[in-house]
Amino acid sequence: MYANPDAVRSAVTFSGPIEGGSNGFPGTSTSLDLAAKGYTEREFFVRGSAASYREDGTWSSDGHWAAAEDSSAPFTTRILVRTPADPSRFNGTVVVEWLNVSGNTDIDVDFGHMNEEITRGYAWVGVSAQAAGITSTGGSGLGDGVVGLLTWDPERYSALDHPGDRYSYDIFSQVGAALRTPGDVDPLGGLVPTQLLATGQSQSGFRMLTYANAVHPRARVFDGLIIHARGGIGAPLADGMMLLDPAPARVRTDLDVPVFQLITETELFELCGGPGPTSFVAARQPDTDMIRTWEIAGTSHSDAYSLKILHPQYVRQFSDIRDLAALFPIVNDGPQRYVANAALRALRQWAAGGAAPTSAPVIDTADNAVLRDRHGNATGGVRTPQLDVPVATLTGELVHVPQNGATVAFDAAALAQLYPSHDEYVTAFSNATARAVDDGFLLPEDAEILIAGAQDCGVGR
């Protein structure tokens, strides 16, 4: 456990598990079959008083951002908790996710990407840290019926009260701190955490950068941080989406806990409006003893795997929702989830005092563009068998839908030329998978899944 006498001492109280309501289930309840994985899902309310922060001095690109407490306000938010049904399976690590609100509703994006690793023994807590997930009344590109918790189920969530995003950072800190010393109501059901890892993707990834640079040095709650799929800037301490000054913004280099950045092709230039100081390429920095960045070739900001988890979740929760199923065959279906699994396990070991993860090369770029091989796939970056033994072009750049990239399968003639026999394809794929495992970019358990898929597919037959 990250024992720190100066860490935030949370005064929040938990209540729950929460049940009932007009819908009879929690918002953001996963579409995955948790019971089949030996996991349970419960919801709790969290009540307390949170501080807001303001910039203290001038912030610069190096991420050494000072913050001072400003006002305080009472809050009542909620958390979702997913834990092993058998307590003996718990590995001691709690993944605390800053739920994403880009669609004006809470989304558990990183649980989706990392669920295969998380359900191997971790506990997971999703925090409604931002106001939109609670107070939004619509206006999302996902559909007019996509709303926050208060509108979606006022009977279940009438007690919730969010004072605004300027308080989100301290709300997140206080939830994390309280998980160690929960009081009378324990959301973890008696599981004793030895390690807390924080994560956030996309808009929540921007928030996690600001959290790492400005809030962690004060709060010192988490043992490690994952900043997933951010562009080249951070989020403001006040309300709002992104902090455009300073641009670019990097991770500060004097942190006392490890920080892992996971970046897809989309963030290199496209996510924040194209090339320039707000792109992730402008924010690149060398690895240090406490910073690792993996740029994952062949991946996109959102992808088919995550959409296949989120779409049925949305359909169950909202009556008016965009038909995302039409995107499944055309958007990126790259290997992001497997690399995310490996990153989570590597961070768990690293934060516990183990070896730092492998340093990866950056994705090759020139003239504000990703460099690509003869198949249209990116060169450089984290390599996976889907890129080194390809059957499709996998890109994170805009083709059909913003931020979702594309999968363009090779035709039969191209496949026959590349892989004259099925055995040749499986051998090449297996060798590439073994290299990725050796490099630390894939877990052995996931490698077995990938090789089995290669053996069952029709390539070379």
Side-chain angles (χ1 to χ4, degrees), residues 212-378:
N213 286 345
V215 180
H216 170 77
R218 299 177 55 92
R220 305 183 74 182
V221 170
F222 296 100
D223 303 292
L225 308 171
I226 295 176
I227 301 172
H228 187 184
R230 76 169 180 102
I233 50 181
L237 290 173
D239 298 337
M241 289 281 286
M242 292 179 289
L243 178 70
L244 298 180
D245 184 19
R250 302 181 179 90
V251 179
R252 65 188 299 158
T253 56
D254 63 344
L255 291 170
D256 53 0
V257 299
V259 175
F260 213 136
Q261 296 191 107
L262 293 178
I263 303 299
T264 76
E265 290 183 23
T266 310
E267 292 89 57
L268 297 182
F269 297 111
E270 289 188 7
L271 185 64
C272 291
T278 61
S279 70
F280 186 79
V281 167
R284 282 171 167 167
Q285 63 188 111
D287 284 350
T288 71
D289 289 346
M290 287 294 175
I291 299 171
R292 283 292 182 275
T293 301
W294 284 0
E295 297 182 7
I296 314 168
T299 62
S300 65
H301 191 72
S302 180
D303 60 23
Y305 180 76
S306 60
L307 291 181
K308 288 174 184 177
I309 295 172
L310 290 172
H311 182 57
Q313 180 173 308
Y314 286 142
V315 169
R316 182 187 183 209
Q317 189 168 346
F318 303 114
S319 59
D320 181 5
I321 176 70
R322 181 183 177 189
D323 183 12
L324 300 177
L327 303 179
F328 297 167
I330 61 174
V331 300
N332 181 282
D333 196 21
Q336 180 176 178
R337 64 191 183 274
Y338 295 117
V339 179
N341 287 344
L344 176 57
R345 187 177 298 181
L347 178 61
R348 177 174 183 258
Q349 296 167 348
W350 188 18
T358 303
S359 286
V362 301
I363 293 173
D364 295 328
T365 60
D367 299 324
N368 296 322
V370 174
L371 297 183
R372 300 190 175 279
D373 62 19
R374 64 190 178 97
H375 303 297
N377 288 317

Side-chain angles (χ1 to χ4, degrees), residues 17-27 43 45 152-157:
I18 305 303
E19 298 178 348
S22 57
N23 293 296
F25 62 91
E43 183 177 49
F45 289 169
W152 177 67
D153 196 333
E155 180 183 339
R156 185 181 183 106
Y157 295 112

